[in-house]
Amino acid sequence: MKLRFGMVGGGEGSMIGPVHRLAAQHSGEAELVCGAFSSTPDRSYRSGQRLYQLAAHRCYASYSDMFAKEAALPADKRMNFVVIATPNHLHFPVAMAALAAGFHVVCDKPLTHDFNQAQLLRRRVLDSGLQFAVTYNYSGYAMLQEARDLVSRGSFGSLRRISCEYLQGWLAVDMRTNKQAQWRTDPVRAGSAGCFGDIGSHGYHLMEYVSGLPVTWVCADLSKHVPGRQLDDDGNVLLRFAGGAKGVLSASQVAAGEDNDIQIKVFGELGGFSWRLGEPDILNVRWLSEPNEVRRAKNDAELAPKRSIAGAPDGYLDAFAEIYRRFFAQLKGESHRGFPTIEEGVRGMQFLAAVVRSDEQGATWQPL
Ligand code: NAD
């Protein structure tokens, strides 16, 4: 039987809601059955019925209404988990309400508005015994899993250098009339980090994910290039990792002309690898004393995320779906490779707090 899920946010015109729906349904293991898709009841009803073809009685005016009514349904009808795809400031109240009503949660990043909320949420998740996934979707790419496996087997020896660059250009000009830009550039709705909260958070997660090493110290230099902007739109962060590796994370949303590109490079004593979103099925592996290799994902649905969606990079949908597949395996009690949990979400918020603090204090080193 399919898992049933509801969505909060993701209404008509939203960026990531339809991706969640497609990614979750991709494996055929789950279906969207209900939602509170917008901040206004009319838009929520319209989105549910027109965008997602749901029955009117499963389209709710608000998330609190949805949790109360779904919890009252018979067990074989009610949703099993909820997907949170709202602006950042709503992740915390919606997730807390979902857990209180007994629903597992899939929440988009960054986990919460601030680190304090993240810690409170983690306590609630642990107390509830419910599952909680955070959609750091780039870790769903097969060749990054391959890279992580190479690192964890010690193939590159002790790691020395870990760098990641995530560039976008869509905020290179004032975008105050754009819905997605409005909340992302507003500290009340986005949190204290702008570009770093939005995309630097992905880069940070990937760096820890592939290296298996926690970041221990950060030193950040953030910028607000567009006049009037209240949050960072570009920045560079020096990083120290447990075990002695060092690195740098650069992120920008004002790289004029750049669409959406993330790349990561890791080097140890014996070799290293590089990967970029533009060619997600390729892992360039370098060796100190052997010929370099180009590893390609096998042409197999499990290993080669290729299918995509309009406007998104190659394989985006399949990598996103991989996070869901792992989450479903956990819900069903099957073996699985693990998915980004509340712990990674909390660490992401701790990282952002340290980055902002470092920048505010004149690019000083801050511990995590
Ligand atoms: P968006 O502005 O396009 O959509 C937000 C949606 O939330 C809208 O449909 C809006 O009506 C709805 N909403 C607002 N208040 C609501 C409320 N009280 N109740 C119910 N719905 C409400 O935003 P987006 O770009 O889709 O981003 C949403 C979240 O997804 C953000 O946290 C963002 O960081 C994250 N995101 C993640 C990725 C990724 O790669 N994982 C990509 C894009 C966005």
Side-chain angles (χ1 to χ4, degrees):
M1 188 146 54
K2 284 186 182 177
L3 293 161
R4 297 172 298 278
F5 68 99
M7 198 177 328
V8 180
E12 47 185 27
S14 78
M15 187 188 287
I16 208 68
V19 176
H20 275 279
R21 200 269 305 243
L22 286 170
Q25 296 192 171
H26 197 261
S27 62
E29 293 179 81
E31 65 177 328
L32 179 69
V33 295
C34 63
F37 299 100
S38 179
S39 53
T40 62
D42 280 356
R43 282 180 71 93
S44 178
Y45 299 140
R46 209 169 54 229
S47 298
Q49 290 172 65
R50 288 200 196 152
L51 188 61
Y52 297 121
Q53 289 85 45
L54 295 180
H57 70 285
R58 301 295 284 278
C59 302
Y60 297 101
S62 68
Y63 66 85
S64 38
D65 191 30
M66 173 164 100
F67 295 145
K69 293 196 172 129
E70 286 291 315
L73 290 176
D76 63 342
K77 292 274 185 304
R78 77 173 78 114
M79 66 173 180
N80 304 109
F81 69 94
V82 66
V83 173
I84 302 174
T86 62
N88 304 345
H89 68 303
L90 290 167
H91 294 182
F92 177 73
V94 176
M96 292 293 268
L99 294 166
F103 297 112
H104 304 290
V105 176
V106 175
C107 183
D108 221 312
K109 45 47 62 180
L111 179 65
T112 48
H113 189 263
D114 59 45
F115 182 43
N116 186 42
Q117 286 185 347
Q119 291 170 293
L120 293 171
L121 184 56
R122 171 170 50 191
R123 173 90 341 258
R124 176 59 70 86
V125 172
L126 296 180
D127 289 346
S128 72
L130 294 161
Q131 295 299 325
F132 196 105
V134 181
T135 41
Y136 285 120
N137 46 297
Y138 292 110
S139 57
Y141 279 96
M143 294 319 281
L144 286 173
Q145 180 69 51
E146 169 86 358
R148 179 180 152 101
D149 291 347
L150 281 167
V151 171
S152 70
R153 284 200 296 272
S155 308
F156 303 129
S158 181
L159 297 188
R160 291 172 168 166
R161 180 182 175 81
I162 304 164
S163 61
C164 179
E165 187 180 66
Y166 194 161
L167 305 181
Q168 296 180 340
W170 70 294
L171 292 179
V173 292
D174 193 334
M175 295 279 285
R176 250 173 265 186
T177 53
N178 175 289
K179 191 169 165 282
Q180 274 84 24
Q182 279 167 358
W183 69 258
R184 280 176 167 83
T185 54
D186 171 10
V188 174
R189 289 177 286 173
S192 60
C195 167
F196 266 76
D198 204 31
I199 60 173
S201 52
H202 277 299
Y204 162 75
H205 179 258
L206 266 197
M207 293 171 99
E208 287 199 339
Y209 174 77
V210 297
S211 71
L213 299 174
V215 171
T216 51
W217 289 83
V218 298
C219 175
D221 180 17
L222 307 182
S223 306
K224 296 165 192 156
H225 284 290
V226 173
R229 197 155 275 166
Q230 295 183 69
L231 293 172
D232 58 284
D233 51 21
D234 181 281
N236 301 295
V237 182
L238 294 177
L239 305 157
R240 292 178 189 157
F241 293 82
K246 295 188 178 182
V248 58
L249 171 60
S250 294
S252 181
Q253 292 182 308
V254 296
E258 184 58 78
D259 185 13
N260 184 49
D261 189 30
I262 180 167
Q263 32 189 311
I264 184 161
K265 296 182 180 176
V266 174
F267 293 95
E269 301 161 300
L270 306 173
F273 72 84
S274 62
W275 177 91
R276 58 182 299 258
L277 185 60
E279 292 180 308
D281 287 346
I282 293 177
L283 187 71
N284 283 295
V285 184
R286 293 170 180 99
W287 300 110
L288 182 65
S289 41
E290 285 174 49
N292 292 338
E293 289 174 63
V294 178
R295 296 194 180 194
R296 288 175 195 278
K298 286 208 176 111
N299 194 13
D300 157 333
E302 273 294 300
L303 283 175
K306 278 206 176 61
R307 285 175 298 274
S308 206
I309 47 172
D314 207 17
Y316 188 81
L317 181 60
D318 277 337
F320 218 109
E322 175 64 18
I323 305 296
Y324 272 102
R325 271 193 288 275
R326 297 179 191 184
F327 178 69
F328 297 158
Q330 176 70 35
L331 292 187
K332 292 175 180 172
E334 296 164 358
S335 65
H336 63 96
R337 292 200 86 151
F339 53 86
T341 66
I342 186 76
E343 299 302 335
E344 280 101 315
V346 173
R347 271 194 70 72
M349 294 310 299
Q350 188 180 22
F351 170 75
L352 293 178
V355 163
V356 170
R357 194 168 60 243
S358 168
D359 178 63
E360 284 173 355
Q361 296 182 14
T364 53
W365 282 97
Q366 298 289 332
L368 249 76

